[in-house]
Amino acid sequence: MSSRSINERLLALNKQMAEAAEAMDFETATALRNEIARIKGEGPLQEGDPDSVTVGQPPPGAMGLGTQVPVRQPPKGWVKPKKPDFMTKNVKPRGGR
């Protein structure tokens, strides 16, 4: 969609939302508000969506253990790679004096 059509769609949704609010149809107004936010990229994330976990800076004073900052979970079936053994990898045997 072009930016002009997106802008026209947002204006139409805003008008419909205002009309629904005036008519006291708050469920419709809320749905329209959520659609506007989704188009703008500010929408509430769907529950169960794998990309719904957001990682950001915690608010000031809420750092450390016990904070409510979400942690991104690895995808299903992901296995942590084996750590390399630096003591034995790429070591040539000594000998042949």
Side-chain angles (χ1 to χ4, degrees), residues 4-97:
R4 172 179 257 168
S5 64
I6 292 172
N7 189 34
E8 290 172 359
R9 174 83 172 136
L10 287 173
L11 290 174
L13 288 172
N14 276 324
K15 183 178 177 183
Q16 291 175 3
M17 182 179 66
E19 291 170 357
E22 286 179 20
M24 295 195 167
D25 186 6
F26 298 115
E27 290 83 12
T28 304
T30 302
L32 291 168
R33 180 200 62 201
N34 291 343
E35 178 67 16
I36 292 168
R38 187 191 64 76
I39 292 172
K40 288 182 176 180
E42 306 165 352
L45 300 171
Q46 303 272 335
E47 199 62 37
D49 185 12
D51 295 330
S52 66
V53 177
T54 57
V55 179
Q57 294 291 327
M63 300 175 78
L65 296 175
T67 61
Q68 300 300 320
V69 177
V71 178
R72 183 174 288 276
Q73 297 296 322
K76 284 186 177 181
W78 183 81
V79 179
K80 187 174 182 178
K82 184 179 175 185
K83 289 180 80 173
D85 186 4
F86 294 112
M87 298 299 287
T88 59
K89 187 175 182 183
N90 296 328
V91 175
K92 296 179 182 176
R94 293 185 187 192
R97 282 187 185 201

